[in-house]
Structure formats: structure tokens, C-alpha cells
Amino acid sequence: MNWFQNWMLPKAAATHAGDVDGLYMFIVYLTIFFFFFNGALILYAVRKWRRRSAKEVTPHITHNTKMELIWSIIPLFVVMGIFFWGFKGYVKAWVPPNDSMEIVVTAKKWVWQFEYPDGTRTLNDLHVPLNKPVKLVMHSEDVIHSFFVPSFRLKRDVIPGRYTELWFTPTEPGVQQVFCAEYCGKGHSDMLARIFVDTPEQYETFLREGDEQVRKMPLKDLGKLVYENKGCATCHSLDGTRGQGPSWKGIWGETGKGADGKPYTVDANYIRQSVLQPQAVVVQGFEPIMPTFQGLLREREILGVIEFIKSVK
Amino acid sequence: MADTLTTHGNGHAAHHGDYLDDPKGLASWLTTVDHKRIGLMYMWSVFFFFLVGGIFALLVRIELLTPKQTIMTAEMYNRVFTLHGAIMVFLVIIPAIPAALGNFALPLLLGAKDVAFPKLNLASLYVYWTGALMAVTTLALGGVDTGWTFYTPYSSTTGGGVTLMVLAAFVLGFSSIFTGVNFIATIHKLRAPGMGWFEMPLFCWGMYSTALIQILATPVLAITLLLLCMERVLSIGIFDPQLGGDPVLFQHFFWFYSHPAVYIMILPAFAVISEVIPTFSKKTIFGYKAIAFSSVAIALLGFLVWAHHMFTAGMSLFAGAIFSFITFFIAIPSAIKVFNWIATMWRGSISLEAPMLHAISFLLIFTIGGLTGLFLAALSTDVHLHDTYFVVSHFHYVMAGSNLIAFLAGIHYWWPKMFGRMYNKRLAAIGAALVFLGFNATFLPQFVLGSRGMPRRYYNYLPEFQSLHVASTIGSWILASGLFLIGAYLLASLRQPKSMVANPWGGRTLEWETDSPPTTHNFEGQPVLQHGPYDYRANPAPVGVEEHIH
Ligand code: HEM
Ligand SMILES: [Cu+2]
């Protein structure tokens, strides 16, 4: 009967799906059984006791306490069993393990945005490592949405004004479909996302190089995105005004003096060094306060910053 | 063959003229306080809105024939499914059995002349028409795209005629409350002499439990809807988080009414089935008290389980567990009833007339509808199935399938009593078969769609779901053709002369003791009960009719 389960349910792809599937199939068989059981009783009665003459007399049976007790108590036990089974699965799906990776999910009409622990953001594509618990912390910017992953057997509403959580441990590499399950207007049925369940190598690549969007973005645009999102803009202006750090306006190719008096030239190597080891060369007249971005920026993002600085004239 | 069973009672030509023709004229209908006429006007209104809601349903199904746009835009689609749901729930399923059949049959079954408050009864009809008119007017305001559940903050921020639609539902609630109050008073006060509570036909118990819910739960909906209107018009900030409100609060309020309301939609169906099965099995009902008490139990338990619609809305673990636990208890009275009905057929004398065919199809469909509730009451499986087509299918099985098919059973059962005419029985059998087949063809695929992950209220969908959607759409046309056939032969029957005997089915309840159609005052004099409602021992025992001046 495996084909039957495979037809009724999408292929399970997270740890606690098995529990849900077991209960699901149990109730499916229960339903099928009682449908045919009741159907057979009715068919039997209709054929055997079909009215043959208007004068037929029927026995006057008003009730049968013993039988009625039996058919109340047996279902009671069955449904209590189902309750506990369902409760067990729900509890399992409730409490995330302590070591789960936390990803912030923001829903808005009609996209899903994901933010990773390192600050990376992606739209509609979520990358997670295989066999590692992931916890989603979700909120909505407008109406109620609902994050639904059929192959994980999981769903949780995403609500404006409060956080809800969902966690899972993916067990199948590949792509899983995400739907929005709470009606949210015109784009409701197009509010789809995908979860890329990556092998460790793929996930490494993702962390190093970003997802497809980042990989495909022109370097200059990527640099601008880094400038805006990773905090460069708090200290460096683009229009020549002096901030905590030197403005980026027109610095490409310039030469200047470091705090220690040594001259430097703004080229690719200099920028790279300033991002990863800011204290190596501190521009004269500025405090050595810039933090290192070691580990926070990917190689391609640094190249993007270089391209972007080239373009700020 | 059963037509000739009993012609005792007042089956001879009536002295007063029947209620259909006496007095004549449209004005006399619009100002009538006769429960039978009010029942019929409700019935025609329900038929009309069923047609409208049904056309919207067919449009939805056609749109879903292909994964992308088929015949309408996404905005249109959202309006069409909202209107389909709102019309079917508020204008069709909730009033169908209580307001149409209940109004017609309840006083007759009790041996009463009318309901307790005839003028209130007429008022409830006008309130219903007002609400219906308001609901239809929203179309002119750009329609409503919230779904019939009006979840905030979507409903408090989207445009169109939402405010008017919400007010329409508010007004319709009053119609429902009036009917409920009337039925409770009628059952308490106007039972025929000799009719104790446990000698009432079970239909009356069903109406009584329904009325309890109507008067206890509907005010909560009324308040919720008013709050939503205030939110939209005055921005008071109860549900909208941008104004400091809590959107989930709306769901609690809404389901506190609407969960019991789903039993407003099913208890009346149980009521009809409990009349039809004994009559066409010619056998006393099995477990009268169990059926009566389980209706009341369902009505009361129905108030304790509302949050099972919100297991995925971020409730606490504890709350989820409690609501799930209580929900399972609803399954027991439902199961008890099914077994009781089957036991009633056991060793009976079963006649497969149209009402009985519908009752049997009810039994099969309700079995599926009730059992699929178990998937949704269980926490872990509900998390997967909530807001998918599985839920859509479950509630169509219990609402459209069970409630409407019971309504059809009741219509076919009391049609000769209402109009004094019989429909074409061959066509009726074909109609019942088409409805049963079409219904299952439409909704069985949706269980699979849902468990495979297809969410509800989707305009576009992934291509992998298409074949099941196509099957469902084909089913919807089979279902529609069955319903059209039924409508056609029922209307055709009205062109025959009135020639029906008093008791064409050999029923043992009081409505069969008076003419078909009854006179304006229902009975010649006050009927006195001499046997229980399903007592077939004396075969057939005449009921004493005391002559009274009236
Ligand atoms: C007695 C006949 C029944 C009726 C009239 C009925 C009606 C409904 C309706 C109308 C809905 C959907 C509301 C919506 O979201 O639009 C629903 C959902 C539900 N029903 Fe039933 N139902 C019945 C039987 C049962 C039984 C026996 C159970 C439990 C054992 C059950 C459990 C549920 C649950 C838990 C939901 C919520 C599903 C979800 O939204 O995830 N129902 N029902
Ligand atoms: Cu959404």
C-alpha cells in the first residue's frame, strides 16, 4: 500500500513527518473501513428488507442499551488514541533544539524574505543545511500569512505584530516547496518560496558566494547593496562630507598618508586590506575605529565594494 | 405504491380551502403570518440564492480547470469565491432547513396551529430579505474579496463592499435569532395535548438544539461584526496591529460563533434524516433518546471547541491540546446517530422513495464528512492539512453534502404535503443518483489535493495539481446537472392538479393527519396524540381528532 501513501502525501522530507504520516494513514484506513462498513450494512438492509407489500409489519425495537454502549465506548477509545497520537506529534514539532540555526522570516504581500545569522538576506529562496535543525522566527509586515511546507508537514501562521516560530530538521537534499496558506489577497497563490536543502559542501558554497541572486548581480550593484546593508554607510559618505571615516567620493586611485606617515594608494589591494584588517593602515586624521569585516563579507561582495568605490566620483 | 397506504384523517375535500389558495393574491402572501406560507417563501428564497451561489461555484471550478488564468483575473476570482461562500453559508445553508422546512413542518409536527410568535416570524423573513439585499448590493460596490471568514487585518484594510457585507451578515444574524426564539417558545408551549418532550418527533429536538445555538452564539458574531465595521470606519484599533490591536482576537471571536454555527448547519440535517428513515423503513426509530440527547450534546459541546480552527495560529501548546481533546468528543454523538439510523433500517420494511434515497446518500456522505473531521481534530495532522483543500473538502462534505442532501430529502418528503402534488418519481431517483455521484466526484479529489499540499483560496496552482482539479470540475457539472433536473421536475409537478392524499408515505407523525396541502389552521380542531411519533404497531392506527370550534 506504499503507492497509496505516496499518492496521498508528498514525499516526506523532515524529521517529524514520519509521525504525522503514520497517524494520517491510520485515519485514512479508519475512514475507508467505516465508509465501507456502513455502506455494506446499508446495502444489506436495503436488499434484505426492501418493502414488498404495503401491509408489512416490522418489529417494535426501541433501543438496546448494551449495543448502544458498545458503539459509543469503542469509538471513544479510538478517538482518545488518535488525540494522544496527534498531541505527541504536535509537541515534537513545538520545541526546537537549542543548537538550531535561527533564520528570521519576514512576510509581506507577496514575498518571503529570509535573513541568516550572518546578515545575508534572500528573497523567496531559503538555503538550509541538510540534517541540521533550523528555527524560523517569523513576522509579517501587513496581513496574516502562513508558512506552509507540505513535504515537512509543517505550517504556522505569520502574523503582524507578533513573532511566531517554526522549526524543522530537513532530511532530504533537494528543493522543497513553500506555500502561503493564509489568504492574503491578490498575490496569495503566487506567494511561493523554495527551500534549498543543501549538502554541507553546497551550503558552504552558498555561505561563501551567496545565493543565485547575489551571484548573478552585477558587481557594482552588489557593492552598493553591501554599502547600504552592512553598515558602511554609517561612517562613509558618498558625497564628500566627512563622517567617522573618510568619504568614498572620488577616492579611487588617490594617494594619501597613513597615521604613521607612510603613503598609500587606494587600489584593490588597499580596499581589501581596509575591509579585512582596518587597523593596518589608518588614514591620517581619523580614529582607528573601523571594525573588521573578516567573515562577514564574501569574496564576491568585497569585489563588489571595490567596483562600487571605483564608481563613486 | 405507498401512496395508497392511508387516507384516513381529514383526507377528504377541505371545507376551508387550503393555505396555498386561501386567501389569494401576492399581497396576502407578503403580509401573511401563516408559518406554512412563510416557510414556502423562505424556501423559494433559499432556492434562488442556491442558484446564485451555485453559479459562482461553477465559475470557481471553471477557473481552476487550468493552473493559470482560465476565464477571470485574480481579483475577480477572489470576489467570486468570497461571494460563493458568503451566499452559501449565510443565505442558503443556515436558513435552508430551519427557516424553510422548519417553519413549514414544525408546528404541524407538534399539532399546533402556528408558531408561538407569528408576527415575529414574518419579521424574520423581512430581515432575511433585507440582509440578502445588502449582501447582493456589495457587488455594486466592487465586491468583497475577504473570504466568508473576514479575517483581520486583511478585512479591515481591503477595499470594496466589505463594510456592507459585514453589516449584511449582522442583519441576517437577527433573522436567525428570531427564528430560534420562535422555535423554542413553540416547542415549549404549543405541543399537542398528550405530547410529552419524549413524544415529540425528533425533528423538533433537532430544531430545538439548533435554536439554542442560534440564540446563544449569534449575538457574539453580531458584536464581532460590529467591531469589525467600527474598525473599518473609525479605525478603533481592536484587530489591526498597526493601530495596536490583535488580529488573532478576531479569529477567536469569529469562531466562537462560527464553530457552533457549523452545527446550525448540521443539526437540522440530522433532524430531517430522523424523520425520513423511520417513515421509509416503516419502523420505530432506534434509540430515540440517544438521538435527542446527542443533538443537545452537540449543540453544547459546539461552544467549547472553537479554537480548533486556529491550531496553526500560534496558540499555546496547552490551549491547543485542550481544544483538540474536547473536539474529539463531538465525534461520539455523531457516530451514535449514524449507528442509530442504520439500526432503524435493520429488519424494517424499506421503501426506496426519493426522500429515502437522499437519506441513504446522506448516511454515506456524512460518514466521510464526520470521519475526516478526525484528521483535523488531531493536532499533528491538522498542522499539515489546515487551510488546504482537505479542509475545503471536509466542510463541503458536512455542509454541502450532508446539509444540502438532507434538505433535498426533506423537500422530497414534505413536497406532497406542501403542494398536494407528487413529482415524477423516476426522475427523482435519477436526480438523487446524479447528486450523489456528482458530489463525490467533485469533492473526493479535493481530499487528495489537500493532503498533497494544495492550499485553499488559490487562483494559480502548480501544474502537478491539475489532473485532480480537472476531475473535480467535471464532478461539479455532474452535480449541477442533478440539481437542475431536481429543480425542473419539482417545478413541473406544480402544474398538475392537487390530488395528493393526506398521508402518501404512511408516516406516523401529526402532519400526515391533515390534508395535503393543509388548511390555513393546519388541523380541523385540536389533534390529540394517541401514539408515539414512530409507532407502527397498530397498522395504521387513526389519530383521534377532537372537533373544536375555530
Ligand atoms: C457534525 C458535522 C460537522 C460539521 C457541520 C463541520 C463543519 C466544519 C466546517 C464548516 C469547517 C470549516 C470552516 C472553515 O474553515 O471555513 C470545519 C472544520 C473543522 N472541523 Fe468539522 N464539521 C463537522 C464534523 C466534524 C467532526 C466530527 C470533527 C472532529 C472530530 C470536526 C473537526 C473539525 C476541525 C478540527 C476543523 C478545522 C480544520 C482546520 O481549519 O484546520 N468536524 N468543520
Ligand atoms: Cu500570504
Side-chain angles (χ1 to χ4, degrees), chain B residues 421-438:
Chain B
R421 287 118 162 164
M422 186 57 81
Y423 39 81
N424 181 323
K425 291 182 176 180
R426 276 182 66 92
L427 291 180
I430 297 172
L434 281 177
V435 167
F436 180 78
L437 289 177

Side-chain angles (χ1 to χ4, degrees), chain A residues 53-58, chain B residues 5-6 8 282 506 508 535-542:
Chain A
S53 95
K55 301 215 167 46
E56 272 173 7
V57 179
T58 56
Chain B
L5 253 186
T6 49
H8 62 90
K282 210 179 173 197
R508 304 295 276 144
D535 192 342
Y536 288 89
R537 275 172 300 186
N539 190 25

Side-chain angles (χ1 to χ4, degrees), chain A residues 35-46 49, chain B residues 339 342 345-346:
Chain A
F35 177 78
F36 284 105
F37 181 70
N38 289 355
L41 291 181
I42 293 167
L43 196 71
Y44 180 81
V46 167
W49 295 299
Chain B
F339 287 125
I342 295 177
M345 294 168 66
W346 217 246

Side-chain angles (χ1 to χ4, degrees), chain A residues 87-287:
Chain A
F87 179 63
K88 227 178 65 195
Y90 193 61
V91 173
K92 246 195 227 171
W94 193 272
V95 192
N98 285 332
D99 61 341
S100 35
M101 178 171 104
E102 204 170 297
I103 292 173
V104 178
V105 180
T106 309
K108 53 191 156 193
K109 287 177 183 168
W110 288 281
V111 287
W112 299 99
Q113 182 194 290
F114 304 102
E115 188 173 336
Y116 299 76
D118 69 353
T120 311
R121 289 188 200 163
T122 55
L123 273 190
N124 289 344
D125 284 348
L126 171 63
H127 282 261
V128 293
L130 185 66
N131 292 326
K132 292 263 157 46
V134 175
K135 177 168 116 183
L136 305 181
V137 178
M138 311 189 290
H139 71 109
S140 161
E141 289 190 356
D142 40 43
V143 301
I144 300 177
H145 302 275
S146 188
F147 193 85
F148 175 30
V149 196
S151 58
F152 294 173
R153 315 285 187 266
L154 280 178
K155 168 182 308 114
R156 179 71 28 102
D157 290 3
V158 183
I159 300 169
R162 68 163 80 168
Y163 289 101
T164 52
E165 290 181 359
L166 186 71
W167 81 271
F168 52 83
T169 303
T171 54
E172 292 285 324
V175 185
Q176 308 299 337
Q177 184 67 48
V178 179
F179 295 109
C180 175
E182 186 66 79
Y183 174 71
C184 58
K186 184 179 164 212
H188 173 51
S189 61
D190 299 322
M191 192 167 159
L192 309 177
R194 289 178 301 174
I195 299 180
F196 292 83
V197 179
D198 292 343
T199 59
E201 303 78 59
Q202 288 169 321
Y203 193 67
E204 272 307 303
T205 318
F206 164 72
L207 285 184
R208 211 168 48 237
E209 295 172 16
D211 70 346
E212 235 174 324
Q213 251 176 315
V214 172
R215 259 178 311 214
K216 283 192 187 141
M217 195 181 272
L219 280 177
K220 199 182 98 187
D221 296 349
L222 182 62
K224 182 153 183 280
L225 203 68
V226 171
Y227 171 77
E228 285 162 357
N229 287 345
K230 301 278 158 112
C232 318
T234 43
C235 298
H236 301 281
S237 79
L238 298 181
D239 57 3
T241 29
R242 186 190 156 97
Q244 307 264 55
S247 174
W248 287 0
K249 184 178 176 174
I251 59 169
W252 179 255
E254 292 278 293
T255 52
K257 263 197 188 144
D260 55 4
K262 284 190 190 148
Y264 66 89
T265 305
V266 181
D267 56 11
N269 277 327
Y270 167 76
I271 293 175
R272 185 183 173 73
Q273 188 189 40
S274 299
V275 168
L276 300 177
Q277 301 157 267
Q279 263 52 275
V281 178
V282 177
V283 180
Q284 221 168 36
F286 288 91
E287 298 289 314

Side-chain angles (χ1 to χ4, degrees), chain B residues 148 255 262-263 308 373 376-377 382 386 394-395 398-399 456:
Chain B
W148 77 279
W255 287 113
V262 307
Y263 298 111
H308 71 208
L376 307 174
D382 180 69
H386 174 70
H394 161 70
F395 73 73
V398 276
M399 283 166 39
R456 85 198 259 208

